[in-house]
Amino acid sequence: MSETHELGVDFAACDGHGLCAELLPERIGLDEWGYPVVRDAVVPGPLLAHARRAVAACPVLALRLRPAPDRTPTRQSGQPGQPGQSGRSASGQAAVHGLPPSG
Amino acid sequence: MNPEATTALAAPEMPVPHGVRLLGGWYATGRPAGLSDHLDRHGPAPTGRAADALADDVERAGLTGRGGGGFPTGRKLRTVAGRRGPAVVVANGMESEPASRKDETLLALAPHLVLDGAVLAADATGAATVHLCLPRTRADQAESLRRAVDERRRAGLDPAEVRVHTLPHHFVSSEETSLVSWLNGGGARPAPTPPRPFEKGVGKRPTFVANVETLAHVALIARHGPEWFRELGSESAPGTTLVTLSGAVRNPGVYEVPMGGSARQALAAAGGPTRRLGAVLAGGFFGSWLPVPLDPVAPSRGAGVLVALPEDACGLSETAGVLAYLGAQSAGQCGPCTFGVPSVAEDFAELAWGRPGPDLMERLDRRLGLLPGRGACRHPDGAARLAASALRAFADDVDRHLRYGPCAHAGDAPVLPVPAGRAVAAEEGWR
């Protein structure tokens, strides 16, 4: 597995408690309404422990961390129904690219 | 502004519709197509073909979703068909975009093309049920569609059961996850993804959600093939599309135009502008303002809505009105949308009608950057896109408003049809 991970926020679940920004200020700030702004979703190995702590601290489990896909150059290449993209921790926002919208 | 932008378009009378397909029956008979009209003109839908045949045809035709998403329909069909377990088909006729009438018009004039397409999609994905979703505000249309479905059932036409539903009519209720959520017994509000409906939708089954116009194109592609479909439109954007033309045009209404054409060409279908234009809104409330003079060739990117804004209207107050509506229409599920869209709307109201403070533009820019990609659905993204395009298209007006306050037309009645009743719906209002 790759050393790099990716952060994602489920904004429908997030209540703006702000613990993630306290625990992972290297990656997460807060907007004027108190909701997380992920400045850079990529979490390198050295930050991983802090990121995991932030994920675990979220009272509503809205912060997600998943292994970053290895094929980094094209984020648009995800095919709908592509297997292997929906692991247990993969329900962050990163997987929406290239999937069928309505209509 | 270039005076030619109006004179070049102003045709003395309505041009004869060219390459009309979905609305062909209407132009031929002048009345909505009943089942016998439909069968006379098109024959029965070719159901019962090999499993991949329809997805192949639709994919080669290059049909893309006409609900605004623009996703390749054939690929979506194939994906749903290829997943485990029985599928479900959802026909999206919600059309919550206030400036659009195309789906309502199509369902009124050619309901059986839509039903054919839905049933063909069910046939191709192995679905036993089609859910046709309409807004509750169109109960009469839903009733007439139920009669059409009954008539087809009596004629033994359809291998799938078609059920017509009426849903709450909020702006975000037409989002595909809203339909799935409502059909599953919840509120007609967007749900976080994944899972997308094609993975786990109605009854946790793989679900093919498509706009009703998309389905009507499927019905024709199934009969005439992909090469026929590609005879109109451009190589990269084949086929025709319905577009609702309103504002300062000679004959406002719903038209069928080739895909890949420019906004200028589309406006010509409605007889062209009646006055000098200040800008054109392409794509509706989630769209973008196009500056005038319009680019004569740039494709209007499948926008199903064009509103021609006359030169003497205030684009900033038009936009402020729409943003206030979009802010109130947030489902209130995601913080950045719940607070961000109304905040941007307030900033725009200050710009349009108030006394702009010195920090207004900096604050607005920052807030616009806080909306995209930060919701379960694209509501905040759409609002941000509209606002940003207004700042570009009306840059001169922005300067004037900042310097001198509201312009003489800021208080005029709006050109854009912003619905009244701006209160956020109560919890039960989504069911």
Side-chain angles (χ1 to χ4, degrees), chain B residues 41-331:
Chain B
R41 187 175 178 83
H42 299 288
T47 51
R49 299 167 74 201
D52 290 341
L54 185 69
D56 284 346
D57 280 355
V58 173
E59 204 155 17
R60 281 197 292 136
L63 174 64
T64 51
R66 300 293 198 252
F71 191 85
T73 307
R75 185 152 30 121
K76 206 197 284 194
L77 258 181
R78 190 186 308 286
T79 304
V80 172
R83 292 189 74 87
R84 247 172 219 286
V88 174
V89 168
V90 177
N92 188 349
M94 294 290 289
E95 195 167 47
S96 60
E97 164 60 52
S100 182
R101 288 287 175 280
K102 74 174 183 78
D103 294 336
E104 180 181 4
T105 304
L106 178 66
L107 285 166
L109 299 184
H112 291 285
L113 271 184
V114 175
L115 293 169
D116 279 357
V119 169
L120 284 163
D123 196 44
T125 56
T129 310
V130 169
H131 299 283
L132 171 55
C133 296
L134 296 179
R136 209 161 277 165
T137 47
R138 283 200 253 128
D140 289 353
Q141 182 163 64
E143 209 36 60
S144 87
L145 283 161
R146 285 192 187 101
R147 283 196 296 275
V149 169
D150 286 344
E151 200 178 355
R152 293 167 71 98
R153 188 181 301 131
R154 283 196 299 277
L157 284 181
D158 298 333
E161 183 199 8
V162 180
R163 297 168 63 181
V164 180
H165 306 278
T166 54
L167 278 64
H169 195 215
H170 306 301
F171 191 81
V172 296
S173 295
S174 60
E175 218 268 341
E176 62 170 1
T177 56
S178 298
L179 303 190
V180 169
S181 162
W182 190 89
L183 289 166
N184 283 335
R189 284 193 285 204
T193 55
R196 308 285 313 183
F198 72 85
E199 300 167 300
K200 197 195 230 183
V202 178
K204 298 187 181 172
R205 295 174 174 185
T207 300
F208 178 79
V209 188
N211 167 261
V212 290
E213 183 196 339
T214 311
L215 292 170
H217 287 294
V218 167
L220 291 179
I221 291 168
R223 288 174 167 92
H224 306 297
E227 285 75 24
W228 168 85
F229 185 77
R230 301 188 77 98
E231 281 168 14
L232 290 172
S234 68
E235 182 60 31
S236 59
T240 61
T241 190
L242 297 178
V243 56
T244 309
L245 304 173
S246 65
V249 291
R250 213 160 293 277
N251 303 294
V254 174
Y255 293 85
E256 187 170 359
V257 300
M259 281 284 282
S262 67
R264 222 171 131 158
Q265 287 165 330
L267 289 179
T274 51
R275 294 144 75 184
R276 286 192 182 197
L277 300 185
V280 172
L281 178 63
F285 287 14
F286 269 11
S288 298
W289 288 105
L290 308 177
V292 167
L294 292 166
D295 189 321
V297 286
S300 58
R301 313 243 323 143
V305 173
L306 290 173
V307 187
L309 189 73
E311 193 183 37
D312 61 1
C314 173
L316 297 177
S317 56
E318 295 285 341
T319 307
V322 172
L323 289 170
Y325 166 78
L326 293 177
Q329 287 286 312
S330 166

Side-chain angles (χ1 to χ4, degrees), chain A residues 10-14 31-33 35-38 78-82 86 90-93 95-103, chain B residues 65-67 69 71 75-76 79 83 92 176 192-194 196 198 211 214 333-336 339-340 343 366-367 370 373-374 378:
Chain A
D10 176 355
F11 279 102
C14 176
D31 66 20
E32 60 183 293
W33 310 288
Y35 293 90
V37 178
V38 181
Q79 296 277 314
Q82 195 175 10
S86 52
S91 32
Q93 60 176 10
V96 299
H97 300 284
L99 300 184
S102 178
Chain B
R66 300 293 198 252
F71 191 85
R75 185 152 30 121
K76 206 197 284 194
T79 304
R83 292 189 74 87
N92 188 349
E176 62 170 1
T193 55
R196 308 285 313 183
F198 72 85
N211 167 261
T214 311
Q333 301 185 119
C334 305
F339 299 102
S343 298
R366 175 168 45 79
R367 286 175 167 175
L370 290 172
R374 297 182 75 225
R378 299 286 175 181

Side-chain angles (χ1 to χ4, degrees), chain B residues 351-365:
Chain B
L351 180 61
W353 299 304
R355 295 173 176 277
D359 54 347
L360 172 65
M361 294 317 284
E362 194 192 325
R363 187 173 68 232
L364 179 54
D365 275 347

